[in-house]
Amino acid sequence: MSLTQLPLAEQFVLTLAALILFTSFLLLAQSRIVSLIHTFAWQGALLFIATCLMAVTSGRHHLFISAFMTLALKVFFIPWQLRRLVVRLDIRREVETVGNASLVMIGGGALVLFSYYVVQPIRELSFLATRNTIAISLAVILIGMLMIITRRKAVAQVIGFMSMENGLFFAAVVATYGMPMVVELGVAFDVLVAAILFGIFFFQLRSGIGSLDVDHLNRLHEVDR
Amino acid sequence: MTALYLTLLIPLAATLAFALIGHWKHAGSLNLLVCAATFATSLSCAVDVFNNGALMSPGKLFYVDAFNVYLVLVNALVGLTTAIFSRPYMAHEVEIGRVDDARMRLYHSMYQGFLLTMLVALTTNNLGLLWVAVEGATLATVLLVSLYRTPESIEAGWKYFILCGVGIAQALFGTVLIYFAAERVLPGSEDALLWSVLKDHAAELEPTVLTLAFVFLLVGYGTKIGLVPLHNWLPDAHSEGPTPMSAILSGLLLNIALYAVVRYKMLIEPALGNHLPGYLMMGFGMLSFTVAGILLHRQKDIKRMFSYSSIEHMGLMTLAFGIGGPLATFGGLLHMIVHSLTKSAIFVTVGHAAHVAGTQSIDKIRGLIRTQPSIGWSFLLGVVAIAGFPPFGVFTSEFLLFSATIKSWPLLVIPLLIGLAVAFAGLFRHLQPMVFGEPPAGQVPVKANMLPVLLHLLVVLWLGIAIPDVLSRWLDQATIMVVGRGLL
């Protein structure tokens, strides 16, 4: 079955999935901190729309709750809090040149291919729309990981971390129409607490090592010298 | 059932109370009392399970069976004894000005929060909630790792946060995949993540999805277990945080992550009909065991050294569950208890030893046995126990494990014995001067309560000589659940 034969709603979900993956690549390459935060908020917004759409088409109305939690948490609260911290720490103007940006982007592309490969056995037994979206959500998770590895600024690492959470949430929504409510609530609570803790850590890093550059964290070694 | 709820509600209430009222003179004692209450309720819960078998809460959200009830008990016990240790220890830290009142408030609140998340992780029936609780444990302890606010501790905290967060995210993806597989068998059911439901439908779940899920779950929870090469956060977090935290991190947190992996193995291995999960666990376990044993030699910080020893023992347990079979599994389950008790006892002693010497550097801790015999002797006995000498319990569990290895994988015994010898040499090379060396001038004893250490070592000794009937029955039931047949 080709894409155009799918119901309209599923085509729309696939488009959203593509856009979410696109924002992941944007996050990977973006060097200005404020734009990074905005891109992250956009990714959350796409996630919100996708979740609402799934809620309507599947008729599982508890998904609306998850959708609005996403809206509140990932579109408004976390970007707002990160922005506020960036202003308070006065690093709004800071630009982080991504080392070897083209290589990192190629790495991101490779991760997408890898995700499709890994998910292959599952795709065989699922419906067309979910097939693609599981692979894409895994790609979003892995690109978030890649971002944490390649970035040196703590703020960028946090956004990578949160974008991984986005990938996980997307996987849960598209593959299984969301997890049971108690789990969704628990995960949202964990994300909220993590976001607050990250804020505290920014100040600790600033006072402890004098900057938010994670490269300065090099005192502890596997083997004591 | 009430006992189970109370076991969870008491630490929850205490977490909130400590956060609200802040720190005051008797907070340490209150912490101790709360832990004692939790221990009492968990004991009553255990008696209930012993008499009536597995318990399920009416909403099916909590489930206690022979496998997790003994871990609940160990959890509450170590929580209690560490609280006994933490009271004078933290008072001393306040005295020398390393922490202030605001941080003590955080410390006590999060101490209880950590115990709460551990107990939820153990008793929940919902595999999603298990993930939430394990992640919650990271969040509860992350600020405690950086409690002293030195550059090193902040670095350790950040590494712990990022590495464990990223690692555990993989486990959530694995959980989503499990749910995905379960949804196809039980469409539209809110119960599809419940352990008790999944277990009954294990055979119907799609094997390809489960295989993929297990890889993600093992990597995810494996980060928390501290399996090499995902272990980097562990020595840092354990060495830089306050010592009571090291005791409960090493003694409890690693166990709970392993518990999660074993639960999944129980579900996935029968469904797959092959031993892939077991082989993966054996590989990771053997690697961790070997690498940690070698790295043990190169440490200069006493707490780092023992955190490598924790990695080594977690590797051994992962190997045991990977090998499977009743004998190895029984040994692994027993090793979980004896390692928790011994390792937390060692960390308690190490904490006092560091106060006596005023440093954590192995080179500078000297002559403990002459300055303060109680600390010196407990340290000596603790290390003897963890190195696997008879008649301590660690010997028993390692002996069971080795017997099982000889039966099913004879060649593996060679690297295992070499690894044990290497680790033993590393521990004793450092131990000798610390305990028997010449104490530096002016070293004076500190106020220390050695009751927790004594208690733990006595229990470990007891388990080495004779395993009580209750425990062996539980362990055997758990073994039946894990591998399908019992040992006894």
Side-chain angles (χ1 to χ4, degrees):
Chain A
M1 189 158 70
S2 74
L3 278 181
T4 45
Q5 285 169 297
L6 282 175
L8 214 53
E10 289 194 2
Q11 289 190 31
F12 198 43
V13 168
L14 283 176
T15 314
L16 284 169
L19 286 173
I20 288 173
L21 185 62
F22 176 63
T23 50
S24 260
F25 274 97
L26 281 184
L27 289 174
L28 202 56
Q30 183 61 259
S31 59
R32 289 191 55 228
I33 285 180
V34 175
S35 314
L36 206 57
I37 296 171
H38 289 167
T39 315
F40 171 72
W42 277 110
Q43 191 175 50
L46 289 168
L47 210 55
F48 165 72
I49 301 171
T51 315
C52 284
L53 200 66
M54 293 299 277
V56 173
T57 51
S58 70
R60 304 197 188 188
H61 295 291
H62 75 269
L63 271 180
F64 279 119
I65 304 174
S66 319
F68 280 98
M69 279 190 321
T70 311
L71 185 70
L73 212 61
K74 286 175 182 156
V75 184
F76 294 116
F77 177 74
I78 294 176
W80 169 78
Q81 200 223 9
L82 281 173
R83 215 193 133 91
R84 200 177 54 112
L85 288 171
V86 163
V87 171
R88 273 182 65 188
L89 290 163
D90 201 26
I91 46 174
R92 202 159 25 147
R93 302 249 167 267
E94 262 180 56
V95 171
E96 185 194 8
T97 42
V98 185
N100 236 333
S102 48
L103 208 60
V104 172
M105 294 305 271
I106 293 172
L111 286 180
V112 177
L113 292 180
F114 174 73
S115 312
Y116 268 90
Y117 170 74
V118 166
V119 171
Q120 188 74 23
I122 303 183
R123 299 198 311 131
E124 296 301 322
L125 38 98
S126 183
F127 315 102
L128 189 62
T130 25
R131 276 188 203 177
N132 283 300
T133 43
I134 292 183
I136 287 181
S137 56
L138 180 58
V140 171
I141 297 170
L142 294 178
I143 291 176
M145 254 170 108
L146 182 65
M147 195 173 153
I148 295 174
I149 296 165
T150 53
R151 292 303 185 104
R152 284 188 303 268
K153 296 269 189 253
V155 181
Q157 290 194 337
V158 169
I159 291 176
F161 185 89
M162 290 294 167
S163 132
M164 277 180 76
E165 288 284 341
N166 278 351
L168 287 166
F169 181 78
F170 190 58
V173 168
V174 292
T176 60
Y177 304 113
M179 308 273 265
M181 206 58 227
V182 53
V183 181
E184 293 269 2
L185 286 173
V187 173
F189 178 72
D190 276 351
V191 171
L192 179 68
V193 175
I196 294 167
L197 288 182
F198 273 126
I200 298 172
F201 251 103
F202 288 161
F203 288 101
Q204 289 194 3
L205 285 170
R206 168 58 70 92
S207 67
I209 61 169
S211 93
L212 288 182
D213 208 327
V214 181
D215 264 2
H216 293 290
L217 296 177
N218 50 13
R219 286 162 186 263
L220 298 170
H221 303 282
E222 182 101 83
V223 174
D224 279 334
R225 287 163 202 171
Chain B
M1 211 60 249
T2 338
L4 177 60
Y5 287 137
L6 278 177
T7 312
L8 300 173
L9 282 175
I10 292 171
L12 176 65
T15 309
L16 299 175
F18 278 124
L20 289 177
I21 57 175
H23 181 65
W24 100 108
K25 212 174 64 182
H26 298 295
S29 313
L30 182 65
N31 191 34
L32 178 59
L33 274 180
V34 170
C35 286
T38 314
F39 179 65
T41 53
S42 70
L43 198 62
S44 120
C45 180
V47 170
D48 208 1
V49 173
F50 182 70
N51 290 330
N52 309 322
L55 285 179
M56 172 96 77
S57 74
K60 288 194 188 170
L61 199 55
F62 295 102
Y63 176 72
V64 194
D65 59 17
F67 183 22
N68 53 20
V69 74
Y70 87 93
L71 287 172
V72 169
L73 209 54
V74 171
N75 214 45
L77 175 67
V78 175
L80 171 63
T81 49
T82 310
I84 299 177
F85 160 61
S86 131
R87 195 171 58 121
Y89 184 89
M90 291 315 281
H92 183 265
E93 299 288 273
V94 173
E95 228 169 76
I96 60 172
R98 280 182 94 180
V99 282
D100 55 20
D101 277 2
R103 289 187 215 160
M104 283 304 284
R105 168 190 187 159
L106 175 82
Y107 173 80
H108 281 127
S109 176
M110 286 302 121
Y111 187 93
Q112 291 296 331
F114 175 72
L115 288 182
L116 169 72
T117 52
M118 295 284 85
L119 289 168
V120 171
L122 282 175
T123 53
T124 185
N125 189 18
N126 188 319
L127 294 176
L129 213 54
L130 170 68
W131 184 87
V132 171
V134 174
E135 169 75 358
T138 313
L139 300 177
T141 41
V142 72
L143 286 182
L144 293 184
V145 170
S146 64
L147 194 75
Y148 293 141
R149 303 286 161 83
T150 57
E152 287 86 1
S153 68
I154 292 171
E155 175 179 347
W158 182 258
K159 266 195 200 168
Y160 175 48
F161 201 178
I162 291 284
L163 256 164
C164 277
V166 169
I168 204 94
Q170 314 300 319
L172 183 57
F173 190 70
T175 312
V176 170
L177 288 178
I178 295 274
Y179 188 54
F180 174 71
E183 261 264 314
R184 301 171 60 81
V185 180
L186 310 153
S189 167
E190 280 274 302
D191 293 347
L193 260 184
L194 294 187
W195 161 253
S196 54
V197 174
L198 280 173
K199 186 184 56 175
D200 295 336
H201 293 272
E204 303 156 48
L205 302 175
E206 186 59 47
T208 47
V209 183
L210 291 188
T211 312
L212 191 59
F214 187 78
V215 174
F216 278 100
L217 289 163
L218 182 62
V219 170
Y221 288 118
T223 315
K224 262 311 222 290
I225 304 177
L227 295 179
V228 175
L230 310 157
H231 67 288
N232 271 39
W233 62 272
L234 193 149
D236 297 348
H238 288 210
S239 64
E240 297 305 324
T243 307
M245 278 333 283
S246 316
I248 46 181
L249 282 177
S250 254
L252 305 177
L253 180 71
L254 310 183
N255 259 0
I256 272 105
L258 183 62
Y259 160 83
V261 171
V262 176
R263 274 272 184 219
Y264 277 110
K265 180 178 180 270
M266 284 155 77
L267 181 69
I268 291 171
E269 202 160 77
L272 290 183
N274 62 29
H275 287 294
L276 182 80
Y279 292 146
L280 281 173
M281 286 171 78
M282 280 171 68
F284 270 111
M286 201 63 220
L287 184 68
S288 311
F289 177 75
T290 317
V291 171
I294 294 168
L295 285 175
L296 202 75
H297 282 260
R298 301 284 308 270
Q299 302 306 318
K300 292 209 169 81
D301 181 305
I302 185 167
K303 278 164 79 182
R304 277 185 86 83
M305 180 173 88
F306 284 108
S307 50
Y308 278 102
S309 157
S310 289
I311 299 178
E312 185 207 344
H313 283 273
M314 293 321 285
L316 205 57
M317 286 176 231
T318 312
L319 177 75
F321 290 114
I323 289 174
L327 195 59
T329 307
F330 193 96
L333 293 169
L334 183 62
H335 202 83
M336 276 170 112
I337 315 177
V338 287
H339 173 253
S340 284
L341 293 174
T342 319
K343 195 44 73 58
S344 44
I346 287 180
F347 270 114
V348 168
T349 336
V350 162
H352 287 313
H355 273 176
V356 169
T359 171
Q360 290 186 20
S361 162
I362 294 177
D363 293 339
K364 301 213 174 78
I365 302 177
R366 286 292 176 265
L368 288 174
I369 221 160
R370 265 196 257 168
T371 309
Q372 195 162 1
S374 62
I375 293 179
W377 276 107
S378 337
F379 192 38
L380 184 66
L381 288 175
V383 175
V384 165
I386 204 74
F389 273 80
F392 287 101
V394 183
F395 172 76
T396 317
S397 55
E398 282 179 359
F399 184 77
L400 289 176
L401 167 63
F402 279 35
S403 316
T405 317
I406 289 176
K407 252 166 71 187
S408 42
W409 299 84
L411 283 180
L412 260 188
V413 175
I414 299 166
L416 273 179
L417 283 175
I418 295 175
L420 270 192
V422 167
F424 163 77
L427 286 172
F428 274 77
R429 198 178 65 159
H430 290 137
L431 176 83
Q432 173 75 16
M434 282 197 280
V435 174
F436 294 111
E438 192 62 38
Q443 185 165 281
V444 284
V446 293
K447 212 176 131 213
N449 185 351
M450 299 314 278
L451 182 72
V453 180
L454 187 69
L455 191 67
H456 284 197
L457 289 181
L458 278 178
V459 174
V460 174
L461 185 65
W462 182 22
L463 290 179
I465 294 166
I467 300 175
D469 188 41
V470 185
L471 188 66
S472 65
R473 201 178 105 176
W474 277 341
L475 292 184
D476 199 48
Q477 282 176 11
T479 309
I480 293 172
M481 280 191 272
V482 180
V483 286
R485 60 202 146 89
L487 178 68
L488 305 178

